[in-house]
Amino acid sequence: MILWLAPAAFAAFALLAGPLIAHLLARRNARRVIFPAAHFVPPAQAAAIRLRRPADLALLIVRLAILSAAVLAAAQPLFVTRWNLSAWNARISRVVIVDTTGADRGQHSSAVIDGLAAREAVSAYVTQGIDTADLREGLQRAANWLAFRPPSRGEVVVVSDFRRGALDRDSFEVLPRDTGIRFIRWRSLPSEQTTTLKPIEGWRGGRWQATATVDKDGIRTDWASLGRGQKEDQSWLTVLAAPADAGAAARAKTAAASFGVAPGEASHRCRVVFTGGDEAAGEPIRTPWMARAALVLRDSDLLRQADVAVAAEERGGALIVRAPVSGSSAAAPAVVRAVMLAMRPAVIGGRELETAAIPDTDLAAWRRDPAAVTTSDMRRRWQLTDTDGRAFWALALVLLGIESWMRRSRRRVVAQEAHASAA
Amino acid sequence: MVLDPAALAAIADLELVSKRIVDGTISGLHRSPFHGYSAEFSQYRHYRPGDDLKYVDWKLFARTDRLYTKQFRETTNLACQIALDASASMDYAGESTVTKFTYARLLAGAFAHLVSRQGDAVGLVAYADTLKQYLPSRGGQAHLRSLLLTLGRTEAGGRTNLAAALARTMDLLKRRGLVVVISDLYDEREEVEQALRQAAHIGHEVIVFHVLSRAEVELPFHDDVEVEDPESGRVILSNGAVAVRAYREAISAFLERWRSRCATYGLEYVRVFTETPLDAALRAYVRRRALGGAA
């Protein structure tokens, strides 16, 4: 059975008309020879028959064969034989997804993970490594890569400590059914995890740092003062209100900052515009960090409790947040605080401190072996560097040599005839 | 030694060339291929192994118990007339290096030399649609030289009229003689057949040299061509690859017709190709004739 991986190339068969027309037209350019036995030479048949019989049929056939072989080669043929299938089934194309959640795993842990990944790579025909903190995103990338793998069975190996929430049954929907899945748990999670958060400026007029500890009972946070610290520059956030409310709006900003603000990008600037504030109309948001901040504002609990719906837009490289309340209203500090939190998000990662793991029973249920390659699978878009098109290219080259030889010999005969005719 | 037609054609002196061909042809032959009508006894000599037993005097052997061979001084009066086709169709070389006409001219010269060498009379009729050259048959070196000069001056061109040429040839021969026709024979009209029949009826010995190029037998083109007949100027469109089979059948039939036509009237038919060395062609013919082959 032959599979054509690029059947669109068959359209090039239209090129066969070229030599056909050329050979048909060549009949009309017959040269004249003087021949004493001319009265014994049978004349050509009727014009209609002549048109159906192109000049130098043998040469035409060779030329058509060259073009056909080239077109067939370009269509990327693949001979699917029993031998080929067994050879392809003996290969495994493997994607090793390494979970990078918890960057503090240490040198020893990294060596263990790298060793596991390398061991998986050795036994595979081809391997692709994916390092990611989001296993779902890693599975999507694995699926994309496997779609274009060489003819072989496909398998995904996930190396992780499998914190709870990292994966679930639906996570594997992105993988084709014939793709195998295996899990390697590189370590058991500790019963308690502690991490130190980034310092916060401005709370109670000082600099503070929190240490968070997660265990089976919950999360415990211990704050430690780092002194008065430097005065935090709050110029990245501007508050605009009606002239009569300007003082109240400034006080609202100070009150919001007194809860502490995490460090962030100084270039990310924002203007909060209360009713009566002088700010020209902006444009829809296109900058990614502004879009993230706008999403956080939309889900903000503070704004929900204050019953304020804000509108976000972009103008002059700054995020513009319009609040339909005056700068002197009671909701003004809540609006400013919500904007601060949206611009300088939380510093604790989602699963960094997770101590609960996905049970082995779940992993065993999700595991599956790679299915054998079948003839019908061959219609997929394999990443093929060695299709059997080479055979057709070789045939085209051989035919090209024959055509060249035929042309040379024809030219020699014509020269001899011309010489004889001239004589 | 092989006498290449191309090499011979390059020599301007036809007398020298024809002599060279004849020397090459009859060297090694024991006797002349042509016999006159009378021979005069000259002398006896002792028999030597290899002598023709036909000339042994058996009566003398009975009387003397010794073998003697009779020797004659030939006083032949054979008259030979060469009819050379000088039509346009003869001006064709095919894949050979010489044209049929050049070849035929050399052949005619050699033949004239051969006949003249044994003291017989030889003449020439060079024809196309009309008579181009004619010399009555005479003996002697001076006549031979004149004939060869005439041959050298003759050019090919015009249509073939073999019947007229044969009629004129027979007119020139006052008595029974040898008629040598050198032509490609592309003239099969009824008049030709009548002339041949008449020549045979009168009692002339007729030798027909059918001169052809190999290309004419094989059809030398394979693609589309406009084939022009050099004599009629008629042009036909043909395809070599398609026509080759039918052509070869037609040309074979043509050759067979001429062979059987000559056989019917008791004429000697010799087919020669321009690719064959001249002396080889002539020697094969002379040897065959000397051994009493086809005649």
Side-chain angles (χ1 to χ4, degrees), chain A residues 27 31 33 35 42 44 417 420, chain B residues 94 220-221 223-224 226 228 237-238:
Chain A
R27 289 195 61 88
R31 66 209 154 76
V33 294
F35 191 58
E417 286 172 8
Chain B
F221 35 83
D223 52 355
D224 294 329
E226 288 179 342
E228 181 181 339
L237 177 65
S238 186

Side-chain angles (χ1 to χ4, degrees), chain A residues 26-28 30-45 50 53 55-56 413-414 416-417 419-420 423, chain B residues 89 91-94 186 215-216 220-230 235-239 242-243 246-247 251 254:
Chain A
R27 289 195 61 88
R28 296 174 185 171
R31 66 209 154 76
R32 181 167 292 198
V33 294
I34 294 172
F35 191 58
H39 49 287
F40 291 124
V41 178
Q45 294 132 329
R50 259 188 289 148
R53 182 183 281 278
D56 204 338
V413 168
V414 168
Q416 283 171 354
E417 286 172 8
H419 172 74
Chain B
S89 66
D91 194 18
Y92 177 77
Y186 288 132
E216 287 173 278
F221 35 83
H222 306 90
D223 52 355
D224 294 329
V225 284
E226 288 179 342
V227 187
E228 181 181 339
D229 190 315
V235 176
I236 55 164
L237 177 65
S238 186
N239 179 282
V242 176
Y247 174 82
I251 201 82
F254 163 72

Side-chain angles (χ1 to χ4, degrees), chain A residues 231-246:
Chain A
K231 185 174 174 58
E232 176 68 6
D233 177 19
Q234 303 293 348
S235 63
W236 57 272
L237 181 69
T238 307
V239 178
L240 300 171
D245 300 330

Side-chain angles (χ1 to χ4, degrees), chain B residues 274-291:
Chain B
T274 53
E275 289 79 3
T276 313
L278 264 162
D279 60 331
L282 201 58
R283 187 187 299 162
Y285 163 70
V286 169
R287 190 187 298 277
R288 191 174 63 175
R289 189 176 172 92
L291 294 174

Side-chain angles (χ1 to χ4, degrees), chain B residues 93-253:
Chain B
E95 289 166 13
S96 173
T97 47
V98 294
T99 64
K100 290 190 292 180
F101 183 69
T102 304
Y103 193 94
R105 198 159 54 180
L106 290 170
L107 187 62
F111 215 91
H113 204 105
L114 186 66
V115 172
S116 182
R117 187 186 176 113
Q118 62 184 34
D120 292 324
V122 62
L124 172 72
V125 171
Y127 69 93
D129 44 354
T130 58
L131 225 53
K132 290 187 170 182
Q133 306 283 353
Y134 69 94
L135 287 174
S137 53
R138 289 197 191 116
Q141 283 300 309
H143 179 71
L144 175 65
R145 199 166 299 121
S146 169
L147 187 147
L148 294 175
L149 281 171
T150 305
L151 264 180
R153 282 200 302 270
T154 309
E155 296 291 333
R159 303 186 72 150
T160 310
N161 191 344
L162 181 55
L166 285 173
R168 182 63 180 154
T169 302
M170 283 182 286
D171 284 348
L172 288 169
L173 282 172
K174 305 293 185 199
R175 50 188 167 77
R176 289 193 303 170
L178 176 64
V179 176
V180 178
V181 179
I182 304 175
S183 170
D184 54 14
L185 302 175
Y186 288 132
D187 185 359
E188 293 188 282
R189 288 173 297 158
E190 180 60 30
E191 294 92 317
V192 176
E193 191 133 358
Q194 282 176 5
L196 289 172
R197 196 183 308 134
Q198 190 184 356
H201 180 71
I202 292 169
H204 291 306
E205 183 179 2
V206 181
I207 304 169
V208 178
F209 280 103
H210 195 169
V211 182
L212 291 166
S213 160
R214 288 267 179 214
E216 287 173 278
V217 179
E218 291 166 359
L219 196 64
F221 35 83
H222 306 90
D223 52 355
D224 294 329
V225 284
E226 288 179 342
V227 187
E228 181 181 339
D229 190 315
E231 293 190 12
S232 66
R234 197 168 70 98
V235 176
I236 55 164
L237 177 65
S238 186
N239 179 282
V242 176
V244 65
R245 178 178 285 184
Y247 174 82
R248 285 182 183 167
E249 284 174 4
I251 201 82
S252 296

Side-chain angles (χ1 to χ4, degrees), chain A residues 26-103:
Chain A
R27 289 195 61 88
R28 296 174 185 171
N29 300 321
R31 66 209 154 76
R32 181 167 292 198
V33 294
I34 294 172
F35 191 58
H39 49 287
F40 291 124
V41 178
Q45 294 132 329
I49 296 170
R50 259 188 289 148
L51 270 180
R52 284 208 302 270
R53 182 183 281 278
D56 204 338
L57 203 58
L59 190 60
L60 173 62
I61 288 169
V62 172
R63 284 174 174 168
L64 292 178
I66 291 169
L67 271 178
S68 302
V71 171
L72 293 177
Q76 295 192 25
L78 193 64
F79 299 128
V80 182
T81 61
R82 187 178 299 171
W83 184 86
N84 276 349
L85 277 175
S86 63
W88 294 333
N89 278 319
R91 305 168 176 172
I92 283 195
S93 295
R94 183 171 290 147
V95 180
V96 181
I97 301 173
V98 174
D99 186 357
T100 58
T101 307

Side-chain angles (χ1 to χ4, degrees), chain A residues 101-104 161 163-164 187 189-197 210-221 347-357:
Chain A
T101 307
D104 60 341
D161 48 14
R163 299 166 196 229
R164 189 171 55 190
R187 69 164 186 177
L189 287 171
S191 57
E192 178 184 296
Q193 295 215 67
T194 302
T195 189
T196 303
L197 309 184
T211 302
T213 302
V214 179
D215 56 21
K216 58 183 173 48
D217 298 324
I219 300 176
R220 186 177 67 254
T221 308
V347 291
I348 302 176
R351 287 188 302 278
E352 298 248 338
L353 298 176
E354 183 61 72
T355 54

Side-chain angles (χ1 to χ4, degrees), chain A residues 67-347:
Chain A
L67 271 178
S68 302
V71 171
L72 293 177
Q76 295 192 25
L78 193 64
F79 299 128
V80 182
T81 61
R82 187 178 299 171
W83 184 86
N84 276 349
L85 277 175
S86 63
W88 294 333
N89 278 319
R91 305 168 176 172
I92 283 195
S93 295
R94 183 171 290 147
V95 180
V96 181
I97 301 173
V98 174
D99 186 357
T100 58
T101 307
D104 60 341
R105 64 194 181 197
Q107 200 172 5
H108 172 70
S109 303
S110 296
V112 171
I113 292 172
D114 292 346
L116 287 168
R119 199 177 64 195
E120 293 298 325
V122 165
S123 60
Y125 176 60
V126 283
T127 311
Q128 174 70 18
I130 295 174
D131 289 353
T132 179
D134 184 349
L135 291 181
R136 289 182 181 83
E137 182 257 355
L139 286 171
Q140 182 62 61
R141 284 164 61 189
N144 293 342
W145 185 85
L146 285 170
F148 294 96
R149 68 182 186 268
S152 56
R153 292 184 293 157
E155 185 183 51
V156 174
V157 175
V158 183
V159 180
S160 173
D161 48 14
F162 298 108
R163 299 166 196 229
R164 189 171 55 190
L167 290 171
D168 56 33
R169 182 182 300 278
D170 297 337
S171 304
F172 305 100
E173 292 295 325
V174 296
L175 293 176
R177 287 283 169 204
D178 61 352
T179 303
I181 303 169
R182 273 194 300 124
F183 304 97
I184 298 176
R185 191 191 297 277
W186 72 274
R187 69 164 186 177
S188 297
L189 287 171
S191 57
E192 178 184 296
Q193 295 215 67
T194 302
T195 189
T196 303
L197 309 184
K198 291 176 184 172
I200 289 175
E201 299 281 353
W203 184 44
R204 293 183 181 174
R207 182 179 171 87
W208 298 80
Q209 186 165 40
T211 302
T213 302
V214 179
D215 56 21
K216 58 183 173 48
D217 298 324
I219 300 176
R220 186 177 67 254
T221 308
D222 299 318
W223 290 93
S225 172
L226 299 178
R228 293 197 60 78
Q230 294 178 341
K231 185 174 174 58
E232 176 68 6
D233 177 19
Q234 303 293 348
S235 63
W236 57 272
L237 181 69
T238 307
V239 178
L240 300 171
D245 300 330
R251 285 192 294 279
K253 179 184 174 185
T254 305
S258 67
F259 289 94
V261 180
E265 281 287 336
S267 62
H268 293 181
R269 310 185 75 78
C270 178
R271 289 195 285 280
V272 179
V273 184
F274 289 107
T275 306
D278 185 19
E279 178 68 37
E283 297 171 344
I285 291 173
R286 290 192 178 84
T287 309
W289 69 263
M290 293 186 200
R292 278 196 297 272
L295 285 173
V296 174
L297 280 173
R298 191 192 64 182
D299 300 333
S300 168
D301 290 336
L302 269 175
L303 292 177
R304 195 179 307 114
Q305 287 163 11
D307 196 21
V308 176
V310 297
E313 56 195 40
E314 180 176 346
R315 183 163 176 271
L319 176 68
I320 310 297
V321 178
R322 294 182 188 278
V325 293
S326 68
S328 57
S329 74
V335 171
V336 177
R337 179 65 187 166
V339 171
M340 282 178 169
L341 290 175
M343 293 286 289
R344 304 283 173 92
V347 291

